[in-house]
Amino acid sequence: MAGKNYDLIRVVSASKKEYERALRQALPGGVSGGPNAFILSKGNAKISLIIEEQPDKAIALMRLPCIKVFWSFHEGTSQEITELVDQLDLSMMRGGG
């Protein structure tokens, strides 16, 4: 993804399929596209995501799938974008903390 500026880049321990399922669960009716690019919409806020597979992470004998997610914020106020990102983060949280 070199050569483009993104608003946020995250490395996530999930497969593309798991991440897509979590997005659709977090934002019912507000997710379009897939499996490598998505548009998320809620109210005036619009975010595009590009997903890139990464090498698995290995912890002892366990292997965890890994993806890099590139976020671009297109529409909405900073408050609307923040609320959407917060909603996604809260819904997609996993245990283990």
Side-chain angles (χ1 to χ4, degrees):
M1 300 287 110
K4 175 143 173 54
N5 291 326
Y6 295 94
D7 296 303
L8 181 64
I9 300 173
R10 291 182 168 173
V11 176
V12 179
S13 180
S15 69
K16 288 193 303 185
K17 187 171 243 176
E18 288 172 320
Y19 198 76
E20 178 177 358
R21 184 174 42 247
L23 286 173
R24 293 187 189 282
Q25 183 177 7
L27 195 61
V31 179
S32 59
N36 298 316
F38 298 91
I39 300 291
L40 312 178
S41 301
K42 182 179 180 185
N44 294 322
K46 187 176 282 185
I47 300 172
S48 64
L49 304 180
I50 297 174
I51 298 177
E52 185 179 89
E53 288 185 299
Q54 300 292 297
D56 288 353
K57 291 188 178 188
I59 301 172
L61 297 176
M62 185 171 57
R63 301 191 69 72
L64 301 171
C66 192
I67 57 174
K68 187 180 281 189
V69 185
F70 300 86
W71 297 56
S72 296
F73 307 143
H74 297 289
E75 296 176 19
T77 64
S78 61
Q79 180 178 344
E80 291 168 326
I81 294 290
T82 298
E83 288 173 3
L84 178 52
V85 172
D86 288 348
Q87 176 183 343
L88 293 165
D89 284 347
L90 183 61
S91 180
M92 296 172 76
M93 225 182 271
R94 294 183 180 183

